[in-house]
Structures are given as structure tokens and as C-alpha cells.
Amino acid sequence: MRTIPLLLLLLLSACSSQPDISYYQLPAVVAGNAGENAKPLYIEPVQVAGYLNGRGLVLQVSDVELVTARQHLWAEALDQQLQRQLRDLLALEAAGFSPVLQAGADTPRLTVQLARFHGQPDGYAVIGGRFAISSQPGSQAFTLRVPLANDGYPALVTALAEGLQQLSTMISLQLQQAG
């Protein structure tokens, strides 16, 4: 008779020993206000590589192997977070341009494709891909490496956000050159 409560206790303790799941999001950016004469800029939904489409944060463990975390997940879809971050960052940085939620027929469009947005075993976050502005010919490739300040997933997310900030600066400079 005593074995039933003991088995129940063992089952409950086994369930409670499962690792906790942590959720992460890119830090909020306080968007700025563009001037009256700012040109509209529409930011297309960010296209991410297929392996980034999952919920888990991604770590590159060797030159050829990527691992998706099971207990360290994005709080919302990564492509949505990235689009919002870029919109808010460019509202602060892109002098003369104002990100808009809907594009008109002649509104310039920013397209960003991310092939890399993950951690590396050497303590860096890497962001890589291409971006294009519809009012300018061609696209620009980029690869950014940001060192992690500490070990762990929170430091990885912070470094990825810093890399996204660097990308928005590159885009802002490209917009200003086009005028």
C-alpha cells in the first residue's frame, strides 16, 4: 500500500525536475519622431533563413553545425521582432526619413534578408545577410560580429540587438547617401 504514494511522489518529482523554459525578446527601442518634411520609408517584413524560423535561439557549434535551443525560445516570431526593431531604430537614426506602417505607390521600401542571426562558439553573435532600398540599384551584403559581454542566452540576445543597431546605422547611412 505504501508503494502507491511513493510512486506518485517519484512521478511528481520527475515532472518538477524538467528544465525551465526561458523566453527572450529584443530590447524595446524608444522610437523618435521624424521632422515634418521627412520622406516616408516602408520596411518590408524581414525575411529570415529557414533555420531561424523556429522558436528557439540558434547557436553555431562548429563550422557546419547549428543547434536550436529547446528551453531558450523567442517570445514572439523573430521576423516580427526584427521588423519592429528596424522600424524603431530607423525612426531614431535615419534623418530625413520616417518609417511608415503602410506603403504608398511611390514610397521607398527597405527589404532585409537575414541568413545569419545566431551565436558562435567563440563568444560572438553574428548577423549576416543583404538589404536593399527600392529607390537605389542593387543590394548590399553585410556580416556583423558582436562580442558577448557575458556567457549565456541573455548576453546573446543583447549582442544580437547591438548587431541590429549596427545594421540600422548602415541602412541609415545608405539612405542619407541617396538623399
Side-chain angles (χ1 to χ4, degrees), residues 108-149:
R109 296 170 180 263
L110 170 66
T111 303
V112 177
Q113 299 172 334
L114 286 181
R116 303 173 81 190
F117 195 78
H118 54 76
Q120 293 184 313
D122 59 357
Y124 282 83
V126 64
I127 299 173
R130 303 186 80 73
F131 72 86
I133 301 165
S134 64
S135 60
Q136 300 175 8
S139 65
Q140 184 168 336
F142 62 90
T143 299
L144 303 166
R145 286 175 39 99
V146 179
L148 275 64

PDB file of all heavy atoms in Angstrom, residues 108-149:
ATOM      1  N   PRO A 108       9.546  54.578 -50.912  1.00  0.00           N
ATOM      2  CA  PRO A 108      10.696  53.668 -50.951  1.00  0.00           C
ATOM      3  C   PRO A 108      10.492  52.526 -49.949  1.00  0.00           C
ATOM      4  O   PRO A 108       9.911  52.719 -48.883  1.00  0.00           O
ATOM      5  CB  PRO A 108      11.878  54.541 -50.538  1.00  0.00           C
ATOM      6  CG  PRO A 108      11.425  55.944 -50.696  1.00  0.00           C
ATOM      7  CD  PRO A 108       9.941  55.938 -50.537  1.00  0.00           C
ATOM      8  N   ARG A 109      10.982  51.359 -50.320  1.00  0.00           N
ATOM      9  CA  ARG A 109      10.830  50.169 -49.485  1.00  0.00           C
ATOM     10  C   ARG A 109      12.198  49.622 -49.113  1.00  0.00           C
ATOM     11  O   ARG A 109      13.087  49.542 -49.960  1.00  0.00           O
ATOM     12  CB  ARG A 109      10.052  49.090 -50.228  1.00  0.00           C
ATOM     13  CG  ARG A 109       8.629  49.487 -50.533  1.00  0.00           C
ATOM     14  CD  ARG A 109       7.985  48.473 -51.482  1.00  0.00           C
ATOM     15  NE  ARG A 109       6.629  48.852 -51.784  1.00  0.00           N
ATOM     16  CZ  ARG A 109       5.565  48.367 -51.177  1.00  0.00           C
ATOM     17  NH1 ARG A 109       5.702  47.468 -50.235  1.00  0.00           N
ATOM     18  NH2 ARG A 109       4.359  48.769 -51.517  1.00  0.00           N
ATOM     19  N   LEU A 110      12.326  49.227 -47.861  1.00  0.00           N
ATOM     20  CA  LEU A 110      13.530  48.576 -47.375  1.00  0.00           C
ATOM     21  C   LEU A 110      13.249  47.091 -47.250  1.00  0.00           C
ATOM     22  O   LEU A 110      12.280  46.691 -46.597  1.00  0.00           O
ATOM     23  CB  LEU A 110      13.941  49.143 -46.011  1.00  0.00           C
ATOM     24  CG  LEU A 110      15.042  48.383 -45.275  1.00  0.00           C
ATOM     25  CD1 LEU A 110      16.368  48.466 -46.020  1.00  0.00           C
ATOM     26  CD2 LEU A 110      15.184  48.894 -43.856  1.00  0.00           C
ATOM     27  N   THR A 111      14.091  46.285 -47.875  1.00  0.00           N
ATOM     28  CA  THR A 111      13.988  44.832 -47.787  1.00  0.00           C
ATOM     29  C   THR A 111      15.249  44.314 -47.093  1.00  0.00           C
ATOM     30  O   THR A 111      16.359  44.675 -47.482  1.00  0.00           O
ATOM     31  CB  THR A 111      13.884  44.197 -49.190  1.00  0.00           C
ATOM     32  OG1 THR A 111      12.761  44.762 -49.867  1.00  0.00           O
ATOM     33  CG2 THR A 111      13.718  42.694 -49.098  1.00  0.00           C
ATOM     34  N   VAL A 112      15.062  43.487 -46.070  1.00  0.00           N
ATOM     35  CA  VAL A 112      16.186  42.893 -45.343  1.00  0.00           C
ATOM     36  C   VAL A 112      16.014  41.383 -45.359  1.00  0.00           C
ATOM     37  O   VAL A 112      14.940  40.872 -45.032  1.00  0.00           O
ATOM     38  CB  VAL A 112      16.258  43.407 -43.890  1.00  0.00           C
ATOM     39  CG1 VAL A 112      17.397  42.730 -43.134  1.00  0.00           C
ATOM     40  CG2 VAL A 112      16.416  44.922 -43.850  1.00  0.00           C
ATOM     41  N   GLN A 113      17.081  40.698 -45.755  1.00  0.00           N
ATOM     42  CA  GLN A 113      17.121  39.236 -45.732  1.00  0.00           C
ATOM     43  C   GLN A 113      18.236  38.820 -44.787  1.00  0.00           C
ATOM     44  O   GLN A 113      19.384  39.236 -44.983  1.00  0.00           O
ATOM     45  CB  GLN A 113      17.397  38.677 -47.121  1.00  0.00           C
ATOM     46  CG  GLN A 113      16.345  39.036 -48.141  1.00  0.00           C
ATOM     47  CD  GLN A 113      16.760  38.616 -49.549  1.00  0.00           C
ATOM     48  OE1 GLN A 113      17.931  38.508 -49.856  1.00  0.00           O
ATOM     49  NE2 GLN A 113      15.769  38.373 -50.385  1.00  0.00           N
ATOM     50  N   LEU A 114      17.901  38.037 -43.773  1.00  0.00           N
ATOM     51  CA  LEU A 114      18.902  37.565 -42.814  1.00  0.00           C
ATOM     52  C   LEU A 114      19.193  36.088 -43.055  1.00  0.00           C
ATOM     53  O   LEU A 114      18.296  35.257 -42.982  1.00  0.00           O
ATOM     54  CB  LEU A 114      18.425  37.752 -41.377  1.00  0.00           C
ATOM     55  CG  LEU A 114      18.427  39.176 -40.842  1.00  0.00           C
ATOM     56  CD1 LEU A 114      17.960  39.198 -39.397  1.00  0.00           C
ATOM     57  CD2 LEU A 114      19.801  39.797 -40.951  1.00  0.00           C
ATOM     58  N   ALA A 115      20.448  35.797 -43.327  1.00  0.00           N
ATOM     59  CA  ALA A 115      20.897  34.419 -43.470  1.00  0.00           C
ATOM     60  C   ALA A 115      21.530  33.930 -42.170  1.00  0.00           C
ATOM     61  O   ALA A 115      21.636  32.722 -41.951  1.00  0.00           O
ATOM     62  CB  ALA A 115      21.903  34.313 -44.608  1.00  0.00           C
ATOM     63  N   ARG A 116      21.951  34.885 -41.326  1.00  0.00           N
ATOM     64  CA  ARG A 116      22.613  34.539 -40.060  1.00  0.00           C
ATOM     65  C   ARG A 116      22.109  35.478 -38.969  1.00  0.00           C
ATOM     66  O   ARG A 116      22.069  36.685 -39.154  1.00  0.00           O
ATOM     67  CB  ARG A 116      24.123  34.679 -40.214  1.00  0.00           C
ATOM     68  CG  ARG A 116      24.680  33.831 -41.352  1.00  0.00           C
ATOM     69  CD  ARG A 116      26.123  34.112 -41.600  1.00  0.00           C
ATOM     70  NE  ARG A 116      26.898  33.351 -40.614  1.00  0.00           N
ATOM     71  CZ  ARG A 116      28.187  33.516 -40.421  1.00  0.00           C
ATOM     72  NH1 ARG A 116      28.859  34.408 -41.090  1.00  0.00           N
ATOM     73  NH2 ARG A 116      28.810  32.786 -39.524  1.00  0.00           N
ATOM     74  N   PHE A 117      21.733  34.907 -37.836  1.00  0.00           N
ATOM     75  CA  PHE A 117      21.296  35.671 -36.664  1.00  0.00           C
ATOM     76  C   PHE A 117      21.397  34.723 -35.483  1.00  0.00           C
ATOM     77  O   PHE A 117      20.408  34.187 -35.008  1.00  0.00           O
ATOM     78  CB  PHE A 117      19.851  36.175 -36.854  1.00  0.00           C
ATOM     79  CG  PHE A 117      19.445  37.252 -35.887  1.00  0.00           C
ATOM     80  CD1 PHE A 117      19.861  38.560 -36.058  1.00  0.00           C
ATOM     81  CD2 PHE A 117      18.639  36.963 -34.796  1.00  0.00           C
ATOM     82  CE1 PHE A 117      19.480  39.560 -35.173  1.00  0.00           C
ATOM     83  CE2 PHE A 117      18.253  37.955 -33.913  1.00  0.00           C
ATOM     84  CZ  PHE A 117      18.677  39.259 -34.104  1.00  0.00           C
ATOM     85  N   HIS A 118      22.643  34.453 -35.060  1.00  0.00           N
ATOM     86  CA  HIS A 118      22.861  33.417 -34.057  1.00  0.00           C
ATOM     87  C   HIS A 118      24.160  33.651 -33.295  1.00  0.00           C
ATOM     88  O   HIS A 118      24.926  34.554 -33.608  1.00  0.00           O
ATOM     89  CB  HIS A 118      22.875  32.036 -34.704  1.00  0.00           C
ATOM     90  CG  HIS A 118      23.857  31.893 -35.835  1.00  0.00           C
ATOM     91  ND1 HIS A 118      25.206  31.753 -35.638  1.00  0.00           N
ATOM     92  CD2 HIS A 118      23.668  31.876 -37.173  1.00  0.00           C
ATOM     93  CE1 HIS A 118      25.811  31.643 -36.812  1.00  0.00           C
ATOM     94  NE2 HIS A 118      24.899  31.723 -37.752  1.00  0.00           N
ATOM     95  N   GLY A 119      24.379  32.802 -32.291  1.00  0.00           N
ATOM     96  CA  GLY A 119      25.602  32.841 -31.509  1.00  0.00           C
ATOM     97  C   GLY A 119      26.636  31.901 -32.089  1.00  0.00           C
ATOM     98  O   GLY A 119      26.306  30.941 -32.793  1.00  0.00           O
ATOM     99  N   GLN A 120      27.915  32.204 -31.796  1.00  0.00           N
ATOM    100  CA  GLN A 120      29.020  31.365 -32.247  1.00  0.00           C
ATOM    101  C   GLN A 120      29.808  30.877 -31.029  1.00  0.00           C
ATOM    102  O   GLN A 120      29.799  31.530 -29.980  1.00  0.00           O
ATOM    103  CB  GLN A 120      29.933  32.135 -33.196  1.00  0.00           C
ATOM    104  CG  GLN A 120      29.257  32.478 -34.505  1.00  0.00           C
ATOM    105  CD  GLN A 120      30.207  33.153 -35.479  1.00  0.00           C
ATOM    106  OE1 GLN A 120      30.917  34.066 -35.120  1.00  0.00           O
ATOM    107  NE2 GLN A 120      30.181  32.693 -36.716  1.00  0.00           N
ATOM    108  N   PRO A 121      30.527  29.764 -31.170  1.00  0.00           N
ATOM    109  CA  PRO A 121      31.234  29.200 -30.019  1.00  0.00           C
ATOM    110  C   PRO A 121      32.386  30.066 -29.506  1.00  0.00           C
ATOM    111  O   PRO A 121      32.846  29.877 -28.390  1.00  0.00           O
ATOM    112  CB  PRO A 121      31.749  27.848 -30.529  1.00  0.00           C
ATOM    113  CG  PRO A 121      31.774  27.972 -32.009  1.00  0.00           C
ATOM    114  CD  PRO A 121      30.677  28.934 -32.361  1.00  0.00           C
ATOM    115  N   ASP A 122      32.836  31.030 -30.298  1.00  0.00           N
ATOM    116  CA  ASP A 122      33.946  31.873 -29.875  1.00  0.00           C
ATOM    117  C   ASP A 122      33.492  33.103 -29.084  1.00  0.00           C
ATOM    118  O   ASP A 122      34.271  34.022 -28.836  1.00  0.00           O
ATOM    119  CB  ASP A 122      34.801  32.294 -31.068  1.00  0.00           C
ATOM    120  CG  ASP A 122      34.023  33.065 -32.120  1.00  0.00           C
ATOM    121  OD1 ASP A 122      32.793  33.250 -31.970  1.00  0.00           O
ATOM    122  OD2 ASP A 122      34.644  33.495 -33.112  1.00  0.00           O
ATOM    123  N   GLY A 123      32.203  33.127 -28.677  1.00  0.00           N
ATOM    124  CA  GLY A 123      31.712  34.222 -27.842  1.00  0.00           C
ATOM    125  C   GLY A 123      31.244  35.433 -28.620  1.00  0.00           C
ATOM    126  O   GLY A 123      31.266  36.553 -28.101  1.00  0.00           O
ATOM    127  N   TYR A 124      30.798  35.233 -29.839  1.00  0.00           N
ATOM    128  CA  TYR A 124      30.284  36.323 -30.668  1.00  0.00           C
ATOM    129  C   TYR A 124      28.862  36.020 -31.126  1.00  0.00           C
ATOM    130  O   TYR A 124      28.490  34.858 -31.283  1.00  0.00           O
ATOM    131  CB  TYR A 124      31.157  36.526 -31.918  1.00  0.00           C
ATOM    132  CG  TYR A 124      32.439  37.264 -31.641  1.00  0.00           C
ATOM    133  CD1 TYR A 124      33.550  36.595 -31.161  1.00  0.00           C
ATOM    134  CD2 TYR A 124      32.538  38.638 -31.852  1.00  0.00           C
ATOM    135  CE1 TYR A 124      34.732  37.269 -30.896  1.00  0.00           C
ATOM    136  CE2 TYR A 124      33.716  39.316 -31.592  1.00  0.00           C
ATOM    137  CZ  TYR A 124      34.805  38.625 -31.115  1.00  0.00           C
ATOM    138  OH  TYR A 124      35.969  39.308 -30.847  1.00  0.00           O
ATOM    139  N   ALA A 125      28.119  37.083 -31.358  1.00  0.00           N
ATOM    140  CA  ALA A 125      26.835  36.979 -32.064  1.00  0.00           C
ATOM    141  C   ALA A 125      27.122  37.414 -33.497  1.00  0.00           C
ATOM    142  O   ALA A 125      27.906  38.335 -33.724  1.00  0.00           O
ATOM    143  CB  ALA A 125      25.804  37.895 -31.432  1.00  0.00           C
ATOM    144  N   VAL A 126      26.517  36.751 -34.438  1.00  0.00           N
ATOM    145  CA  VAL A 126      26.742  37.095 -35.842  1.00  0.00           C
ATOM    146  C   VAL A 126      25.405  37.384 -36.511  1.00  0.00           C
ATOM    147  O   VAL A 126      24.399  36.705 -36.269  1.00  0.00           O
ATOM    148  CB  VAL A 126      27.525  35.982 -36.585  1.00  0.00           C
ATOM    149  CG1 VAL A 126      26.737  34.702 -36.652  1.00  0.00           C
ATOM    150  CG2 VAL A 126      27.917  36.432 -37.978  1.00  0.00           C
ATOM    151  N   ILE A 127      25.408  38.457 -37.298  1.00  0.00           N
ATOM    152  CA  ILE A 127      24.240  38.840 -38.094  1.00  0.00           C
ATOM    153  C   ILE A 127      24.744  39.031 -39.514  1.00  0.00           C
ATOM    154  O   ILE A 127      25.697  39.787 -39.737  1.00  0.00           O
ATOM    155  CB  ILE A 127      23.614  40.154 -37.583  1.00  0.00           C
ATOM    156  CG1 ILE A 127      23.150  39.988 -36.144  1.00  0.00           C
ATOM    157  CG2 ILE A 127      22.467  40.597 -38.475  1.00  0.00           C
ATOM    158  CD1 ILE A 127      22.678  41.278 -35.513  1.00  0.00           C
ATOM    159  N   GLY A 128      24.111  38.354 -40.455  1.00  0.00           N
ATOM    160  CA  GLY A 128      24.558  38.472 -41.837  1.00  0.00           C
ATOM    161  C   GLY A 128      23.409  38.331 -42.798  1.00  0.00           C
ATOM    162  O   GLY A 128      22.400  37.688 -42.499  1.00  0.00           O
ATOM    163  N   GLY A 129      23.565  38.942 -43.951  1.00  0.00           N
ATOM    164  CA  GLY A 129      22.541  38.863 -44.985  1.00  0.00           C
ATOM    165  C   GLY A 129      22.707  39.972 -46.000  1.00  0.00           C
ATOM    166  O   GLY A 129      23.834  40.387 -46.315  1.00  0.00           O
ATOM    167  N   ARG A 130      21.581  40.473 -46.494  1.00  0.00           N
ATOM    168  CA  ARG A 130      21.564  41.534 -47.503  1.00  0.00           C
ATOM    169  C   ARG A 130      20.422  42.496 -47.192  1.00  0.00           C
ATOM    170  O   ARG A 130      19.427  42.106 -46.614  1.00  0.00           O
ATOM    171  CB  ARG A 130      21.347  40.976 -48.903  1.00  0.00           C
ATOM    172  CG  ARG A 130      22.346  39.940 -49.339  1.00  0.00           C
ATOM    173  CD  ARG A 130      22.154  39.552 -50.799  1.00  0.00           C
ATOM    174  NE  ARG A 130      22.742  40.507 -51.718  1.00  0.00           N
ATOM    175  CZ  ARG A 130      24.047  40.656 -51.935  1.00  0.00           C
ATOM    176  NH1 ARG A 130      24.900  39.905 -51.291  1.00  0.00           N
ATOM    177  NH2 ARG A 130      24.494  41.537 -52.780  1.00  0.00           N
ATOM    178  N   PHE A 131      20.596  43.747 -47.622  1.00  0.00           N
ATOM    179  CA  PHE A 131      19.473  44.676 -47.585  1.00  0.00           C
ATOM    180  C   PHE A 131      19.447  45.468 -48.879  1.00  0.00           C
ATOM    181  O   PHE A 131      20.464  45.627 -49.552  1.00  0.00           O
ATOM    182  CB  PHE A 131      19.512  45.598 -46.352  1.00  0.00           C
ATOM    183  CG  PHE A 131      20.574  46.670 -46.372  1.00  0.00           C
ATOM    184  CD1 PHE A 131      20.337  47.900 -46.981  1.00  0.00           C
ATOM    185  CD2 PHE A 131      21.786  46.461 -45.752  1.00  0.00           C
ATOM    186  CE1 PHE A 131      21.307  48.895 -46.993  1.00  0.00           C
ATOM    187  CE2 PHE A 131      22.761  47.443 -45.738  1.00  0.00           C
ATOM    188  CZ  PHE A 131      22.530  48.668 -46.366  1.00  0.00           C
ATOM    189  N   ALA A 132      18.263  45.918 -49.230  1.00  0.00           N
ATOM    190  CA  ALA A 132      18.077  46.703 -50.449  1.00  0.00           C
ATOM    191  C   ALA A 132      17.040  47.777 -50.186  1.00  0.00           C
ATOM    192  O   ALA A 132      16.089  47.580 -49.426  1.00  0.00           O
ATOM    193  CB  ALA A 132      17.625  45.808 -51.597  1.00  0.00           C
ATOM    194  N   ILE A 133      17.250  48.918 -50.822  1.00  0.00           N
ATOM    195  CA  ILE A 133      16.306  50.030 -50.772  1.00  0.00           C
ATOM    196  C   ILE A 133      15.780  50.197 -52.187  1.00  0.00           C
ATOM    197  O   ILE A 133      16.565  50.344 -53.143  1.00  0.00           O
ATOM    198  CB  ILE A 133      16.996  51.314 -50.263  1.00  0.00           C
ATOM    199  CG1 ILE A 133      17.564  51.050 -48.861  1.00  0.00           C
ATOM    200  CG2 ILE A 133      16.020  52.482 -50.269  1.00  0.00           C
ATOM    201  CD1 ILE A 133      18.568  52.069 -48.378  1.00  0.00           C
ATOM    202  N   SER A 134      14.470  50.156 -52.341  1.00  0.00           N
ATOM    203  CA  SER A 134      13.869  50.109 -53.676  1.00  0.00           C
ATOM    204  C   SER A 134      14.240  51.310 -54.548  1.00  0.00           C
ATOM    205  O   SER A 134      14.275  51.190 -55.769  1.00  0.00           O
ATOM    206  CB  SER A 134      12.352  49.989 -53.575  1.00  0.00           C
ATOM    207  OG  SER A 134      11.804  51.147 -52.956  1.00  0.00           O
ATOM    208  N   SER A 135      14.543  52.442 -53.950  1.00  0.00           N
ATOM    209  CA  SER A 135      14.878  53.637 -54.732  1.00  0.00           C
ATOM    210  C   SER A 135      16.343  53.656 -55.165  1.00  0.00           C
ATOM    211  O   SER A 135      16.786  54.594 -55.822  1.00  0.00           O
ATOM    212  CB  SER A 135      14.565  54.893 -53.921  1.00  0.00           C
ATOM    213  OG  SER A 135      15.314  54.898 -52.722  1.00  0.00           O
ATOM    214  N   GLN A 136      17.099  52.603 -54.798  1.00  0.00           N
ATOM    215  CA  GLN A 136      18.521  52.527 -55.138  1.00  0.00           C
ATOM    216  C   GLN A 136      18.805  51.215 -55.861  1.00  0.00           C
ATOM    217  O   GLN A 136      18.180  50.196 -55.562  1.00  0.00           O
ATOM    218  CB  GLN A 136      19.378  52.609 -53.868  1.00  0.00           C
ATOM    219  CG  GLN A 136      19.184  53.889 -53.106  1.00  0.00           C
ATOM    220  CD  GLN A 136      19.956  53.887 -51.789  1.00  0.00           C
ATOM    221  OE1 GLN A 136      20.743  53.003 -51.506  1.00  0.00           O
ATOM    222  NE2 GLN A 136      19.719  54.899 -50.987  1.00  0.00           N
ATOM    223  N   PRO A 137      19.743  51.238 -56.801  1.00  0.00           N
ATOM    224  CA  PRO A 137      20.044  49.990 -57.519  1.00  0.00           C
ATOM    225  C   PRO A 137      20.813  49.000 -56.647  1.00  0.00           C
ATOM    226  O   PRO A 137      21.611  49.382 -55.795  1.00  0.00           O
ATOM    227  CB  PRO A 137      20.918  50.465 -58.683  1.00  0.00           C
ATOM    228  CG  PRO A 137      21.535  51.742 -58.209  1.00  0.00           C
ATOM    229  CD  PRO A 137      20.533  52.369 -57.276  1.00  0.00           C
ATOM    230  N   GLY A 138      20.550  47.722 -56.843  1.00  0.00           N
ATOM    231  CA  GLY A 138      21.308  46.669 -56.182  1.00  0.00           C
ATOM    232  C   GLY A 138      20.974  46.473 -54.721  1.00  0.00           C
ATOM    233  O   GLY A 138      20.068  47.095 -54.169  1.00  0.00           O
ATOM    234  N   SER A 139      21.734  45.583 -54.103  1.00  0.00           N
ATOM    235  CA  SER A 139      21.578  45.301 -52.681  1.00  0.00           C
ATOM    236  C   SER A 139      22.960  45.301 -52.048  1.00  0.00           C
ATOM    237  O   SER A 139      23.975  45.206 -52.739  1.00  0.00           O
ATOM    238  CB  SER A 139      20.876  43.963 -52.459  1.00  0.00           C
ATOM    239  OG  SER A 139      21.675  42.905 -52.941  1.00  0.00           O
ATOM    240  N   GLN A 140      22.993  45.399 -50.742  1.00  0.00           N
ATOM    241  CA  GLN A 140      24.257  45.448 -50.020  1.00  0.00           C
ATOM    242  C   GLN A 140      24.337  44.271 -49.059  1.00  0.00           C
ATOM    243  O   GLN A 140      23.437  44.074 -48.241  1.00  0.00           O
ATOM    244  CB  GLN A 140      24.383  46.755 -49.254  1.00  0.00           C
ATOM    245  CG  GLN A 140      25.716  46.898 -48.558  1.00  0.00           C
ATOM    246  CD  GLN A 140      25.955  48.303 -48.055  1.00  0.00           C
ATOM    247  OE1 GLN A 140      25.397  49.263 -48.552  1.00  0.00           O
ATOM    248  NE2 GLN A 140      26.805  48.418 -47.051  1.00  0.00           N
ATOM    249  N   ALA A 141      25.428  43.509 -49.167  1.00  0.00           N
ATOM    250  CA  ALA A 141      25.670  42.395 -48.248  1.00  0.00           C
ATOM    251  C   ALA A 141      26.302  42.929 -46.970  1.00  0.00           C
ATOM    252  O   ALA A 141      27.001  43.947 -46.987  1.00  0.00           O
ATOM    253  CB  ALA A 141      26.576  41.366 -48.899  1.00  0.00           C
ATOM    254  N   PHE A 142      26.063  42.239 -45.858  1.00  0.00           N
ATOM    255  CA  PHE A 142      26.666  42.629 -44.591  1.00  0.00           C
ATOM    256  C   PHE A 142      26.898  41.397 -43.727  1.00  0.00           C
ATOM    257  O   PHE A 142      26.170  40.407 -43.819  1.00  0.00           O
ATOM    258  CB  PHE A 142      25.786  43.634 -43.832  1.00  0.00           C
ATOM    259  CG  PHE A 142      24.436  43.092 -43.466  1.00  0.00           C
ATOM    260  CD1 PHE A 142      24.231  42.436 -42.260  1.00  0.00           C
ATOM    261  CD2 PHE A 142      23.364  43.216 -44.337  1.00  0.00           C
ATOM    262  CE1 PHE A 142      22.993  41.921 -41.925  1.00  0.00           C
ATOM    263  CE2 PHE A 142      22.120  42.695 -44.011  1.00  0.00           C
ATOM    264  CZ  PHE A 142      21.936  42.052 -42.800  1.00  0.00           C
ATOM    265  N   THR A 143      27.930  41.467 -42.918  1.00  0.00           N
ATOM    266  CA  THR A 143      28.195  40.489 -41.864  1.00  0.00           C
ATOM    267  C   THR A 143      28.718  41.268 -40.671  1.00  0.00           C
ATOM    268  O   THR A 143      29.698  42.003 -40.789  1.00  0.00           O
ATOM    269  CB  THR A 143      29.225  39.430 -42.290  1.00  0.00           C
ATOM    270  OG1 THR A 143      28.719  38.715 -43.413  1.00  0.00           O
ATOM    271  CG2 THR A 143      29.503  38.450 -41.157  1.00  0.00           C
ATOM    272  N   LEU A 144      28.040  41.139 -39.558  1.00  0.00           N
ATOM    273  CA  LEU A 144      28.414  41.849 -38.334  1.00  0.00           C
ATOM    274  C   LEU A 144      28.669  40.837 -37.236  1.00  0.00           C
ATOM    275  O   LEU A 144      27.896  39.894 -37.061  1.00  0.00           O
ATOM    276  CB  LEU A 144      27.279  42.801 -37.914  1.00  0.00           C
ATOM    277  CG  LEU A 144      26.867  43.825 -38.978  1.00  0.00           C
ATOM    278  CD1 LEU A 144      25.540  44.464 -38.616  1.00  0.00           C
ATOM    279  CD2 LEU A 144      27.948  44.875 -39.125  1.00  0.00           C
ATOM    280  N   ARG A 145      29.750  41.029 -36.497  1.00  0.00           N
ATOM    281  CA  ARG A 145      30.080  40.165 -35.359  1.00  0.00           C
ATOM    282  C   ARG A 145      30.175  41.054 -34.126  1.00  0.00           C
ATOM    283  O   ARG A 145      30.918  42.026 -34.111  1.00  0.00           O
ATOM    284  CB  ARG A 145      31.403  39.446 -35.587  1.00  0.00           C
ATOM    285  CG  ARG A 145      31.298  38.319 -36.597  1.00  0.00           C
ATOM    286  CD  ARG A 145      32.651  37.675 -36.909  1.00  0.00           C
ATOM    287  NE  ARG A 145      33.537  37.522 -35.786  1.00  0.00           N
ATOM    288  CZ  ARG A 145      33.714  36.392 -35.096  1.00  0.00           C
ATOM    289  NH1 ARG A 145      33.047  35.318 -35.415  1.00  0.00           N
ATOM    290  NH2 ARG A 145      34.568  36.331 -34.085  1.00  0.00           N
ATOM    291  N   VAL A 146      29.414  40.696 -33.112  1.00  0.00           N
ATOM    292  CA  VAL A 146      29.376  41.467 -31.869  1.00  0.00           C
ATOM    293  C   VAL A 146      29.797  40.553 -30.724  1.00  0.00           C
ATOM    294  O   VAL A 146      29.201  39.484 -30.539  1.00  0.00           O
ATOM    295  CB  VAL A 146      27.954  42.030 -31.611  1.00  0.00           C
ATOM    296  CG1 VAL A 146      27.903  42.805 -30.308  1.00  0.00           C
ATOM    297  CG2 VAL A 146      27.495  42.883 -32.783  1.00  0.00           C
ATOM    298  N   PRO A 147      30.793  40.965 -29.934  1.00  0.00           N
ATOM    299  CA  PRO A 147      31.205  40.116 -28.813  1.00  0.00           C
ATOM    300  C   PRO A 147      30.141  40.082 -27.715  1.00  0.00           C
ATOM    301  O   PRO A 147      29.491  41.090 -27.442  1.00  0.00           O
ATOM    302  CB  PRO A 147      32.487  40.770 -28.308  1.00  0.00           C
ATOM    303  CG  PRO A 147      32.406  42.182 -28.761  1.00  0.00           C
ATOM    304  CD  PRO A 147      31.587  42.182 -30.026  1.00  0.00           C
ATOM    305  N   LEU A 148      29.977  38.923 -27.106  1.00  0.00           N
ATOM    306  CA  LEU A 148      29.066  38.801 -25.964  1.00  0.00           C
ATOM    307  C   LEU A 148      29.759  39.365 -24.727  1.00  0.00           C
ATOM    308  O   LEU A 148      30.933  39.100 -24.494  1.00  0.00           O
ATOM    309  CB  LEU A 148      28.703  37.336 -25.716  1.00  0.00           C
ATOM    310  CG  LEU A 148      27.533  36.758 -26.523  1.00  0.00           C
ATOM    311  CD1 LEU A 148      27.808  36.744 -27.995  1.00  0.00           C
ATOM    312  CD2 LEU A 148      27.185  35.380 -26.021  1.00  0.00           C
ATOM    313  N   ALA A 149      29.036  40.152 -23.949  1.00  0.00           N
ATOM    314  CA  ALA A 149      29.596  40.744 -22.733  1.00  0.00           C
ATOM    315  C   ALA A 149      29.763  39.695 -21.636  1.00  0.00           C
ATOM    316  O   ALA A 149      30.645  39.819 -20.792  1.00  0.00           O
ATOM    317  CB  ALA A 149      28.699  41.878 -22.244  1.00  0.00           C
TER     318      ALA A 149
END
